[in-house]
Amino acid sequence: MITVYVPSFHKIEDASSSYTVFRIEVVIGRRCHILEKRYSEFEDLHKQLKKVIKTPDFPPKKVLNRHPKVLEQRRQMFQTYLQDILDSGKIPKSLISFLGISLSSNDKLSLATSIDSLDQLSGHHGICHQPVIAFKDTMFKYHQQRGGLPDIVTQGVVDAIYRTK
């Protein structure tokens, strides 16, 4: 399964120009690789995709394209756009190329086959988006009683988490 995140954007300033790039995280199974693309590159992809599939709505070009609210809205729309195409079933070759996914020579993968087999793709991948949940061991231990009766719910949570009994 392929999942795409567009978590952020930032401005790049060269000596002669400045432009905004969108960070893209492509997650395939437990592997992830990161790339950056400009609006014009997304626009080129959209033109290619329109020739082969019915595409979702594409973020329009706006006059105030440097405004943070406009860029944030565009970032969200790019993420939705890419994920909608990936969720539609068949993945066009132009999208595979855009996302920088390379097929290994051993894996002659037909793009119409199951997406599960994409876990065997080669490339420079790292691990990202690893959820971490942790609680301090003293989070509920020192709950102060407010009334005369014990709080059964709080005590139940404390007992369930810390197995104090």
Side-chain angles (χ1 to χ4, degrees), residues 16-151:
S16 60
S17 66
S18 69
Y19 53 90
T20 302
V21 293
F22 295 86
R23 177 186 168 116
I24 304 169
E25 295 180 2
V26 182
V27 181
I28 304 170
R30 293 182 49 153
R31 295 180 165 190
C32 173
H33 75 273
I34 298 166
L35 58 145
E36 293 181 339
K37 298 286 186 176
R38 296 175 66 165
Y39 180 89
S40 59
E41 293 172 290
F42 275 99
E43 196 172 39
D44 291 342
L45 171 69
H46 180 66
K47 289 174 186 175
Q48 293 172 12
L49 291 174
K50 282 193 325 186
K51 296 175 185 176
V52 294
I53 63 169
K54 184 178 186 307
T55 59
D57 291 337
F58 188 75
K61 206 167 205 171
K62 295 186 179 181
V63 176
L64 298 173
N65 64 353
R66 303 268 189 243
H67 195 273
K69 286 183 180 180
V70 172
L71 291 170
E72 174 59 22
Q73 182 181 21
R74 188 175 283 172
R75 180 202 66 77
Q76 291 172 359
M77 290 180 78
F78 280 147
Q79 180 169 311
T80 302
Y81 178 83
L82 293 172
Q83 196 59 53
D84 285 352
I85 294 170
L86 290 170
D87 291 343
S88 68
K90 294 183 182 180
I91 304 171
K93 290 179 184 180
S94 54
L95 182 58
I96 295 288
S97 175
F98 177 82
L99 295 175
I101 300 171
S102 59
L103 300 174
S104 67
S105 58
N106 296 336
D107 185 20
K108 299 297 182 185
L109 179 65
S110 163
L111 295 178
T113 61
S114 170
I115 292 178
D116 293 337
S117 62
L118 290 174
D119 288 336
Q120 301 167 355
L121 295 176
S122 66
H124 300 290
H125 301 287
I127 295 177
C128 64
H129 283 287
Q130 295 298 315
V132 176
I133 299 175
F135 297 100
K136 289 185 174 183
D137 61 348
T138 60
M139 185 173 213
F140 291 104
K141 280 187 179 178
Y142 303 109
H143 175 71
Q144 292 189 359
Q145 193 116 349
R146 293 183 185 177
L149 298 173
D151 185 349

